[in-house]
Amino acid sequence: MEKIDVGILGATGVVGQQLVALLERHPWFRVAWLAASERSAGKTYGDLAWRLPSRIPADAAPLRVAPLEALDSAPSLLFSALDASVAGEAETAFAASGRLVVSNARNHRMDPLVPLLIPEVNPDHLALLDAQRRARGWTTGGIVTNPNCATVVVAMVLAALRQFQPARVLVTTLQALSGAGYPGVASLDAVGNVIPYIGGGEEEKIETETLKLLGRIENGAVRDAGMVVSAQTTRVPVPDGHTAVMSFELSARPSIEEVAAALAAFTSEPQASALPTAPEKPIVVHAAQDRPQPRLDAAFGGGMPVHCGRIRRCPVLGYKLVALGHNVIRGAAGAALLNAELIVARSRSAGAEPDRGAVSLASARDIETQTR
Ligand code: NAP
């Protein structure tokens, strides 16, 4: 199969660079276009600071960074890793110009017409894309989002336990420095410290996005899951990997063994469809009492699995555990890639299986025609 040209909005940041790195050997996509702020626009990508331990990919290095105004030069499929201060308007402009924007930014996540997607959790929510296009008069453009980098950890755990009816959830996060982007938190604030506040509505994102992710599509809209989530978020001096310490109530009152077995057995459409970025096991369950740990576990499996350990009784809510996910990969760049892979895979199978998925992905088929 020939590769599909893709572009990256915000290609110079923490998430944008990770996207460039993950796309280097991607079997379906090829980086053809990069954009960032006026500070970077006009420069050659390879001349800008590269902050990953790998070498800058040879395909991306010679590309000239475009400004956000260069709508017409962008390919049909775009990943957005833009700062939230500009992502809202910019993503709408690119979608209105016919581009399918697969975004990491928070701006459109809670829009009732925008799919907030984790392919393992709610692939059926992709159906909102059709409603979005109808409402906005777009034929090929659209916006699809992935959740906040801590929310993804919480939502994956709760999705695996859906059969036990999660009802009340308390979560305290210990979030890595890379979650704040570059340059992020000042070193003198971060080193040897725990900061009990993360700006930008981090706690509210976990509390609201989780309900949308676990909600059901009814009459063409998402009906939030009937549970309540309370979150407290902290920033800790860890480079990568968000830890979520969770206590929760499960109405069906399974045993601890049943909870551990459900987490370990969790699998979904990305695994069944063998999407290139899908982890073999979405949730890795650890038996050792001192796992998961960001340094030892976050990068396992390419950073895509969520990890769970210390699964045990909670005297208040019934159950507790410690979960972990790589914020820049499972929480951002890898999440967006998996979303795009789901869209393309569904568009390919739509011809053979027209009933699969309620969404028309005609535009994704158009994207496929834009190959080199
Ligand atoms: P970052 O390192 O600060 O990068 C921000 C990017 O946005 C850079 O490419 C920057 O370009 C660009 N940008 C900033 N202001 C701009 C402007 N006025 N016009 C055009 N481009 C502009 O942030 P990040 O951590 O990569 O996060 C990117 C997005 O993903 C954010 O919305 C963030 O909330 C979300 N996210 C991040 C994570 C994470 O773990 N880091 C996880 C999930 C979601 P220049 O380099 O040219 O300034």
Side-chain angles (χ1 to χ4, degrees):
M1 189 200 90
E2 286 196 84
K3 292 191 180 182
I4 298 168
D5 281 352
V6 300
I8 301 172
L9 303 166
T12 49
V14 168
V15 177
Q17 291 196 346
Q18 189 68 62
L19 271 163
V20 169
L22 290 176
L23 284 161
E24 183 179 14
R25 289 188 192 85
H26 196 279
W28 299 357
F29 303 136
R30 166 188 169 267
V31 174
W33 186 89
L34 302 171
S37 79
E38 59 190 18
R39 294 178 286 276
S40 314
K43 298 183 176 145
T44 301
Y45 193 64
D47 290 342
L48 295 166
W50 178 254
R51 299 188 185 90
L52 292 177
S54 55
R55 278 223 295 264
I56 185 167
D59 274 4
L63 296 177
R64 192 166 293 275
V65 178
L68 292 189
E69 293 72 32
L71 290 171
D72 292 343
S73 60
S76 296
L77 179 57
L78 295 175
F79 294 98
S80 172
L82 284 172
D83 187 80
S85 60
V86 286
E89 270 185 38
E91 291 172 0
T92 301
F94 279 96
S97 78
R99 274 70 182 181
L100 184 59
V101 181
V102 181
S103 173
N104 282 282
R106 66 171 182 259
N107 309 63
H108 297 289
R109 286 179 191 150
M110 295 308 289
D111 182 330
L113 290 172
V114 171
L116 173 62
L117 207 60
I118 302 174
E120 282 95 344
V121 172
N122 60 345
D124 55 315
H125 288 203
L126 205 46
L128 291 179
L129 189 54
D130 262 357
Q132 185 190 135
R133 286 177 177 149
R134 275 197 305 277
R136 294 180 184 162
W138 298 341
T139 49
T140 60
I143 300 172
V144 173
T145 59
N146 55 257
N148 163 271
C149 43
T151 304
V152 66
V153 177
V154 174
M156 288 273 280
V157 169
L158 297 175
L161 302 176
R162 258 183 189 141
Q163 58 186 304
F164 305 129
Q165 301 145 39
R168 293 189 294 165
V169 182
L170 291 178
V171 55
T172 301
T173 65
L174 298 87
Q175 299 188 205
L177 295 172
S178 57
Y182 191 87
V185 185
S187 58
L188 281 179
D189 291 339
V191 174
N193 204 7
V194 175
I195 300 171
Y197 172 72
I198 297 177
E202 195 76 359
E203 287 155 355
E204 189 190 356
K205 285 184 240 173
I206 297 172
E207 292 171 358
T208 58
E209 292 177 17
T210 303
L211 304 191
K212 182 175 179 184
L213 285 157
L214 293 166
R216 286 179 195 284
I217 297 274
E218 284 179 13
N219 302 320
V222 176
R223 182 174 172 182
D224 280 357
M227 66 178 79
V228 59
V229 179
S230 173
Q232 301 194 70
T233 57
T234 71
R235 186 75 71 197
V236 296
V238 162
D240 296 310
H242 288 353
T243 298
V245 180
M246 299 172 64
S247 283
F248 47 89
E249 186 178 76
L250 298 172
S251 301
R253 297 171 176 255
S255 67
I256 293 295
E257 292 70 29
E258 287 170 319
V259 169
L263 290 166
F266 182 57
T267 186
S268 188
E269 182 166 337
Q271 287 68 39
S273 302
L275 299 182
T277 302
E280 193 182 322
K281 287 177 74 61
I283 296 179
V284 176
V285 174
H286 295 259
Q289 289 299 316
D290 60 352
R291 303 290 274 274
Q293 295 181 23
R295 183 136 46 93
L296 299 181
D297 299 311
F300 174 83
M304 285 302 283
V306 164
H307 299 260
C308 284
R310 308 222 60 221
I311 306 166
R312 61 210 194 280
R313 285 272 169 217
C314 167
V316 179
L317 290 181
Y319 306 85
K320 55 186 173 182
L321 55 74
V322 178
L324 166 77
H326 195 302
N327 54 296
V328 185
I329 299 180
R330 176 45 100 163
L337 256 184
L338 197 59
N339 281 350
E341 290 167 6
L342 179 76
I343 293 168
V344 170
R346 282 198 168 199
S347 83
R348 285 184 184 142
S349 63
E353 301 168 65
D355 294 337
R356 186 152 178 255
V359 65
S360 152
L361 290 170
S363 63
R365 279 197 292 277
D366 293 345
I367 286 167
E368 282 193 70
T369 64
Q370 282 218 350
T371 54
R372 59 199 280 252

